[in-house]
Amino acid sequence: MLPIVFEWHWDIGHFVFMGLFYAALTVIGLGLVVAFRSTMKDLNSGKDPHDLGHH
Amino acid sequence: MDDSKFWPQGVKRCKPGMFIAWLLLPLALGGWATLSAFLCLYKGLNQTNMNDYFAFGVWIVVDLAIIALGAGAFFTGYLTYVLRRHELKNIINAAVIIGFICYSGAILMLGIDIGQPARGWFGFWHANVHSMLTEVMFCITTYAIVLIVEFVPLILENRQISKVPDLAIFAHHLHRIMIVFAATGTFLSFFHQGSLGGMFGVLYARPFAFRTGYMIWPWTFFLFILSAIASGPSFTTLIVMWTEKMSGRQLTSHSVKMLMGKISGFLLIFYMVLKTADTAYWANVTLPNMGLTMGDLYKQGPYGEWLLWVELGLCGWLPAIMLMFQKVRETYGLLALAMILNCSGAVFNRFVFTIQSLAIPVLPFENFASYLPSWQEWGISAGVIAYGLLLFSLAYRYLPVFPQEAELNK
């Protein structure tokens, strides 16, 4: 048992299934952290939103 | 009341009174859905016409259909951000909003379908890793998070919200790393679209749905992915075309719509070749190995072989061939017709796998089972349409969804 997966079993099914699930969540979470950090950095350095260009 | 300061820069919208009058339609449907949801949650699933034969009903048909049609979001995102087809940036915002509506609508609907939404988290905590549905549940909820992340920058680009520097900079940085979210969304979508099909293909005791396959994946796994990515871009384009007709304004250039049609057409041809081969193998090898013929499965009830011809012929090969011709793609009406047929084919496919599979008897003492949804079931289904109309109308009015709109309507 793992604290975040109640019925954890040490088998390939759980490794693949839960591994991919948490990998996807980690990528999304890290993406958001990068966006937050870059925003804070730009705000602290006094950058104007208009200088950043348009998408 | 003047809300023009919230409209996107350089575009015109209808008067607030007319907009509110239009919103009465989704609000009325929403009222019906709210009453239906209340009854289902308060009194229980006895408010539906589902029973021991039909554990899946119209809600699952609508769920599967909108998840397939919402695939335009991930596939257009994949083409735009990962394969760098920059011309699709003119339609990607609409694709993301439609995808968000489809997925969040499906999740809301499933919240009613499971009977006790407060226990919805059980599936995550007690995950059955051998279940296709567990994989679907994980991927759909995670992909819904991706869609929220993709939708947020568009909301932050509202003319008034973007005046707040913190939010404008955050939106910029989310855009900058959108390729990460687009790639994650593609990965998640491929698997849950596939597992929705795989769920039917592994039903060994239901010969109508059962398919052979490759390793642990039945052929329906791959076919559901293909039909979703073939119909999703068509559905996105159809909604844009419909919005153009409703608003009287051109929102994207016709070349963008033609490109979406071409993508849909090529994918639909590929899907139809494999789907036809799969059906032929199922009819001539899989069913005889189970002691059945195809005629055995179409001889009772209203679901005759005509349904197969409608799905594969009228709503399959016909739009696939139509979309291959540039002349068809160049003509607004014909392009819309081909796309309507394409999307209808995906809906028919989800209908037959869900309802027809359950209606056909599998034991000698069983009879053909019939099912018609109750008004509460229709109410919840109408609620998803109401939710979509409401959200897309608000997004179109207040968010810069279509980058070409100002230029095309000068």
Side-chain angles (χ1 to χ4, degrees):
Chain A
M1 188 193 296
L2 290 174
I4 47 172
V5 186
F6 181 64
E7 285 161 349
W8 173 265
H9 296 288
W10 296 96
D11 59 26
I12 188 76
H14 278 78
F15 270 112
V16 173
F17 205 97
M18 307 307 287
L20 289 174
F21 175 58
Y22 283 111
L25 283 180
T26 305
V27 169
I28 297 166
L30 283 177
L32 287 173
V33 168
V34 167
F36 273 119
R37 278 196 60 175
S38 307
T39 304
M40 295 310 293
K41 207 170 136 192
D42 284 349
L43 284 173
N44 290 335
S45 62
K47 264 191 189 161
D48 188 284
H50 300 289
D51 299 337
L52 296 169
H54 185 71
H55 291 271
Chain B
M1 188 175 73
D2 180 23
D3 61 347
S4 58
K5 64 179 179 183
F6 294 100
W7 299 350
Q9 195 75 45
V11 303
K12 279 198 167 66
R13 296 288 180 258
C14 66
K15 287 180 179 156
M18 191 187 279
F19 184 62
I20 289 168
W22 155 250
L23 290 186
L24 290 177
L25 172 69
L27 289 175
L29 290 173
W32 178 18
T34 307
L35 176 63
S36 304
F38 171 76
L39 287 171
C40 289
L41 293 176
Y42 183 69
K43 293 191 170 179
L45 291 178
N46 61 358
Q47 299 295 299
T48 73
N49 283 343
M50 288 188 283
N51 51 38
D52 288 345
Y53 280 98
F54 286 97
F56 286 170
V58 69
W59 292 341
I60 293 296
V61 176
V62 175
D63 261 340
L64 297 191
I66 58 178
I67 281 174
L69 298 176
F74 96 83
F75 199 67
T76 313
Y78 172 72
L79 293 174
T80 309
Y81 295 111
V82 182
L83 297 189
R84 308 249 172 213
R85 293 298 302 256
H86 293 298
E87 58 271 47
L88 293 177
K89 282 203 168 180
N90 296 314
I91 204 166
I92 183 66
N93 292 337
V96 166
I97 296 168
I98 293 163
F100 174 78
I101 289 167
C102 289
Y103 276 78
S104 53
I107 290 171
L108 287 171
M109 208 175 193
L110 285 172
I112 308 295
D113 202 357
I114 60 174
Q116 299 214 28
R119 297 182 184 173
W121 56 273
F122 274 36
F124 294 96
W125 194 243
H126 305 282
N128 171 9
V129 298
H130 304 291
S131 165
M132 292 271 185
L133 273 182
T134 306
E135 198 270 323
V136 169
M137 186 183 68
F138 278 37
C139 282
I140 285 182
T141 43
T142 313
Y143 182 52
I145 298 171
V146 171
L147 283 168
I148 293 168
V149 174
E150 289 180 341
F151 194 7
V152 163
L154 190 61
I155 297 170
L156 298 182
E157 280 174 7
N158 170 274
R159 212 161 111 200
Q160 297 304 320
I161 298 174
S162 64
K163 286 179 181 170
V164 182
D166 308 31
L167 298 178
I169 293 174
F170 183 56
H172 166 81
H173 285 297
L174 278 179
H175 267 302
R176 208 167 50 86
I177 55 165
M178 201 50 82
I179 186 173
V180 175
F181 299 116
T184 311
T186 304
F187 166 79
L188 292 165
S189 292
F190 260 93
F191 275 92
H192 74 247
Q193 296 284 1
S195 290
L196 282 171
M199 175 181 76
F200 292 110
V202 296
L203 295 177
Y204 185 77
R206 292 205 173 268
F208 185 80
F210 176 72
R211 296 292 191 277
T212 52
Y214 174 71
M215 293 175 66
I216 61 167
W217 298 287
W219 297 126
T220 46
F221 181 95
F222 307 101
L223 291 172
F224 266 52
I225 296 173
L226 277 173
S227 77
I229 59 177
S231 59
S234 279
F235 187 67
T236 301
T237 315
L238 273 177
I239 298 291
V240 172
M241 290 167 115
W242 185 58
T243 312
E244 284 184 333
K245 289 290 167 202
M246 293 288 288
S247 63
R249 298 173 65 81
Q250 193 180 351
L251 303 177
T252 65
S253 62
H254 194 66
S255 61
V256 174
K257 299 181 192 88
M258 283 173 65
L259 178 60
M260 293 290 270
K262 194 175 180 180
I263 292 165
S264 263
F266 274 104
L267 289 167
L268 191 58
I269 281 276
F270 186 44
Y271 166 69
M272 285 313 301
V273 169
L274 295 183
K275 175 71 182 170
T276 306
D278 169 72
T279 307
Y281 186 84
W282 168 74
N284 294 299
V285 180
T286 311
L287 285 178
N289 284 345
M290 298 173 119
L292 293 165
T293 64
M294 207 168 88
D296 294 335
L297 303 178
Y298 287 97
K299 66 184 179 190
Q300 296 179 66
Y303 309 131
E305 280 182 30
W306 65 272
L307 207 49
L308 188 67
W309 294 115
V310 169
E311 185 200 335
L312 298 188
L314 182 65
C315 299
W317 278 108
L318 179 61
I321 292 166
M322 282 175 79
L323 288 169
M324 283 293 100
F325 288 99
Q326 185 158 352
K327 284 278 177 205
V328 170
R329 295 198 300 267
E330 280 171 355
T331 313
Y332 201 91
L334 287 176
L335 179 64
L337 175 67
M339 288 178 161
I340 289 170
L341 290 174
N342 179 7
C343 295
S344 305
V347 176
F348 266 115
N349 178 260
R350 273 39 174 188
F351 169 80
V352 297
F353 266 105
T354 309
I355 301 298
Q356 204 171 345
S357 295
L358 297 177
I360 295 168
V362 289
L363 295 170
F365 51 82
E366 283 182 329
N367 294 317
F368 186 89
S370 64
Y371 157 81
L372 276 175
S374 66
W375 68 265
Q376 292 91 332
E377 288 176 87
W378 285 122
I380 302 288
S381 308
V384 176
I385 295 168
Y387 168 68
L389 289 175
L390 188 67
L391 207 60
F392 199 80
S393 301
L394 289 170
Y396 170 65
R397 190 170 179 86
Y398 297 117
L399 304 178
V401 179
F402 299 103
Q404 291 178 303
E405 186 185 353
E407 181 71 26
L408 290 170
N409 295 280
K410 262 183 185 165

